[in-house]
Amino acid sequence: MAESGPAWPGGRRFAFTIVDDTDCSTLANARPVYDLLQDLGFRTTKTVWPLAPWRPTFTGGATLADPDYLRWTLSLRDAGFEIASHGATDHSSERADTVRGLDTMREVYGADPRMHITHCSQQEGLYWGAARFSGAVARLYGLLRLVGRRSWRSSGHEPESPYYWGDICAARLKYVRGFGFDSICTSGADPFMPYHDPERPAVPYWFSASNARSIPSFLALLGEANQDRLEASGGACIVYTHFALGFMKGGALEPRFRALMERLALRPGWFVPASDLLDHLAGSPGRGGALLPAQHARLQRRFLFERVAGRDNHLGDVVLRARAALRRKLAPGGARQ
Ligand SMILES: [Zn+2]
């Protein structure tokens, strides 16, 4: 776990942030979580969908078309949280709609988002699925997806695709999430991030995250021993989670979530949004540059090992798939987007 971590601003001993995937998010289930984070001094990254869906959705969740929700995200932004893109809306979007979504975010927030997180069903995903990998691993992952009967395929990086927006991403965004790892110390699992990958050039900079898809895996990741490990490492943790999946229990915040965040808030960490953390991290030795093929191979080897070893928690996926199946059933003729 030892890491010659970068020097954090203000003499802080480690860095910590969260990227919240907006799937299933509503004012009712998300606002209490952010009220707590704000009270405790955390400033994190929340993704949004700018446009209301016009086809059957994949997970559901509020968009900026809801004026109350929009106002709330503006108040978060004003309080120092980062608002990031989760694509135009909760289904696939062709190029013109992706641009319309980004333009809407620019209009609402006064600037383009710095970060984009690919949504699990969007065909405009950039180098998602097997395209994240190189060589034999790419072929193996493609095969595993076939076995898993996941039919959607991302093509946002392929100029001939109607979903292409790689050039727009390169021009208007900075960070896109790539690999996910199980370690609390994201910067230890990925010693290169943020990095540019010349084999996947539409994304200016990739970063990795620590997996915590929903409340069980979040509580496991942020347990006391792991918090201590993160602080001792001097590194950075970027948690990737869905705050809409189980963080509220019977109308109140999950008590252990509250307790763990209260504990972490007392530690000498640098608690800033993910793009700020990555901007700072980019100045550390070995980071912020072009990724070599051997370095990419190292990251994908670890990712694959952790997937095969079964340490990644898929409960969130199970919930999302069940909801998606229900929605498809309720929407006659609604193909998966
Ligand atoms: Zn999503």
Side-chain angles (χ1 to χ4, degrees):
M1 204 66 199
E3 183 189 345
S4 53
W8 300 111
R12 306 271 100 187
R13 295 228 287 269
F14 65 98
F16 173 84
T17 195
I18 301 168
V19 175
D20 170 27
D21 183 310
T22 197
D23 300 359
C24 308
S25 172
T26 63
L27 272 181
N29 64 25
R31 186 154 51 185
V33 174
Y34 281 91
D35 286 347
L36 175 75
L37 295 178
Q38 188 170 339
D39 289 350
L40 293 177
F42 293 103
R43 293 297 181 270
T44 61
T45 299
K46 174 176 176 22
T47 61
V48 298
W49 286 309
L51 305 182
W54 57 94
R55 294 186 201 138
T57 59
F58 188 68
T59 64
T63 73
L64 300 187
D66 174 341
D68 291 338
Y69 192 81
L70 181 150
R71 267 193 296 277
W72 173 63
T73 66
L74 273 172
S75 72
L76 282 181
R77 192 278 314 266
D78 291 345
F81 288 85
E82 174 181 20
I83 306 297
S85 155
H86 202 33
T89 192
D90 185 14
H91 53 65
S92 297
S93 298
E94 296 189 1
R95 181 179 177 88
D97 294 316
T98 296
V99 172
R100 194 158 58 90
L102 282 172
D103 288 349
T104 300
M105 289 189 74
R106 183 188 278 173
E107 209 171 286
V108 169
Y109 303 113
D112 281 329
R114 287 184 289 168
M115 178 172 285
H116 172 77
I117 305 294
T118 299
H119 184 37
C120 51
S121 63
Q122 288 167 337
Q123 293 184 62
E124 71 269 31
L126 296 163
Y127 312 99
W128 210 240
R132 257 195 296 184
F133 305 101
S134 299
V137 175
R139 291 191 288 278
L140 177 65
Y141 197 82
L143 198 67
L144 287 174
R145 290 186 77 83
L146 275 182
V147 171
R149 292 189 297 164
R150 295 188 184 183
S151 54
W152 70 276
R153 181 181 167 279
S154 77
S155 59
H157 52 284
E158 297 172 357
E160 65 279 7
S161 165
Y163 300 100
Y164 177 62
W165 69 291
D167 55 334
I168 297 163
C169 177
R172 296 178 64 169
L173 285 126
K174 186 167 184 184
Y175 297 117
V176 176
R177 181 179 63 110
F179 292 108
F181 297 109
D182 292 339
S183 169
I184 183 79
C185 189
T186 324
S187 62
D190 179 346
F192 317 112
M193 74 174 196
Y195 56 83
H196 182 74
D197 182 354
E199 290 185 22
R200 293 160 187 83
V203 170
Y205 291 95
W206 293 94
F207 71 98
S208 299
S210 293
N211 295 322
R213 293 160 191 269
S214 58
I215 191 71
S217 47
F218 189 97
L219 299 182
L221 184 74
L222 269 293
E224 290 84 351
N226 273 350
Q227 290 188 15
D228 294 346
R229 214 166 278 151
L230 174 63
E231 184 176 339
S233 77
C237 175
I238 300 178
V239 181
Y240 171 69
T241 194
H242 298 79
F243 276 146
L245 297 182
F247 287 72
M248 291 287 285
K249 209 174 179 182
L253 280 175
E254 214 286 339
R256 182 147 169 79
F257 166 63
R258 176 190 288 279
L260 287 174
M261 296 313 290
E262 284 172 350
R263 183 184 192 274
L264 186 61
L266 295 173
R267 309 309 310 158
W270 192 45
F271 304 131
V272 293
S275 291
D276 293 341
L277 194 161
L278 290 165
D279 284 349
H280 184 82
L281 202 55
S284 303
R287 299 186 186 273
L291 197 70
L292 300 171
Q295 294 171 330
H296 186 270
R298 175 176 161 181
L299 293 178
Q300 73 173 21
R301 233 184 354 257
R302 178 170 182 150
F303 175 87
L304 198 70
F305 171 77
E306 291 186 354
R307 295 299 285 254
V308 171
R311 287 187 289 160
D312 192 3
N313 187 306
H314 288 273
L315 181 66
D317 274 357
V318 171
V319 173
L320 293 178
R321 279 202 210 107
R323 287 190 191 203
L326 187 66
R327 275 166 188 280
R328 284 198 298 279
K329 221 170 187 174
L330 295 176
R336 188 177 194 170
Q337 291 299 315

